Amino acid sequence: MEIIDLRSDTVTHPTPEMRRAMASAEVGDDQSGEDPTVNRLEALAARMVGKEAAMYVPSGVMGNLSALLTHCQRGAEVIMGDESHLFHYESGAGAALGGLPYHIIPNGRFGELDPDDVRRAIRPERNGVPPTGLVCLENTHNRRGGTVITPIQIRAVADVAHERGVPVHLDGARIFNAAAYLGLSVPELTESVDSVQFCLSKGLSAPVGSLLAGPADFIQRARKARKMLGGAMRQAGVIAAAGIVALERMVERLPEDHREARRLAERLAQLPGIRLDLDTVQTNIVAFELVDERWQPEELLKALAARGLRISSFGGRRLRIVAHHGISSEQYDRALEIFSEVLVGAPSPVPAR
Ligand SMILES: Cc1ncc(COP(=O)(O)O)c(C=O)c1O
């Protein structure tokens, strides 16, 4: 049976061009700054996101954590959204490893933070009050359904933070998707933040890696955090080579994924038992709620998987589909057929109450 895997864009495989680049990559010891391929990737990444310097890390989590550890002193609070990836899916790493308590404020419908909430969350300088170390934003916003925040929204938060001397970090795991949706360059989305992390291993199809970018002296210090976390590598050019192909070849095709996600969402929204806010389908993620109470979400996932379609869950009754490279239009059509067969055609496994 053919498997259509729409759980995440992280399931993408390296392209043949990436595999060729990996096989022939020039390498050296990256811990001494001697890997020419890593150096090339870092310079390219910094240029593409409009920052002075960038550092290659094995994962998005390590990119975010390196940023937290570099921006903040132990004991400082990190302000972030209640639906952020940092809060939900990164093992509380900043708190666990860096002694950085998380100060949670609500995310808006599109993943934005309200500047007034940020203003209120930044602590006054007073004995006994924890200092505020950092404000974190996320773009695109995963748990909001791949939604995008605009340069105006980013600047409004950054202005509030900067007025109080607090830096801003952007978890831009899918920042190229955000830029594609808005028709802007990535630097227009990052100019008011102090650092940005983005992933090569998601919609851009590289097998491994993320970049943390920011001012040169910040990246210099972040290299110490990466070393401490065990993320300083040796002949990493072998994987960085795929990252260069990702940045040079895979960014331009992202709107294809957005079109497929939109098409899928519009048809999915018409099926019974599904509540889907089409306004939030902006990039490659489709988030929706299973409202037909005859179905338990796990049972639906199992029924879809039994027919060859894999999707994922945000927990509770919220489910997620992600469009990505390697899935053809026919496969998206088949995915919809499977949904329809299960939700309309087949009897539900749980008796109606
Ligand atoms: C918004 C966001 N940030 C960070 C990450 C972490 O990336 P990784 O899983 O490569 O560590 C992810 C992963 O899905 C993500 O969606």
Side-chain angles (χ1 to χ4, degrees), residues 137-173:
L137 292 168
E138 183 176 321
N139 203 15
T140 66
H141 200 282
N142 180 21
R143 283 180 61 88
R144 282 290 183 243
T147 48
V148 172
I149 51 173
T150 65
I152 291 172
Q153 290 172 310
I154 298 169
R155 179 167 294 285
V157 166
D159 284 350
V160 166
H162 290 155
E163 257 167 42
R164 303 278 293 274
V166 176
V168 179
H169 171 69
L170 175 63
D171 176 359

Side-chain angles (χ1 to χ4, degrees), residues 210-246:
S210 291
L211 275 302
L212 174 66
D217 63 325
F218 170 83
I219 293 299
Q220 196 62 33
R221 287 184 289 122
R223 291 189 191 282
K224 292 186 186 163
R226 181 184 68 173
K227 176 73 181 171
M228 196 161 63
L229 297 172
M233 296 178 278
R234 300 295 180 180
Q235 284 71 32
V238 170
I239 44 176
I244 293 173
V245 176

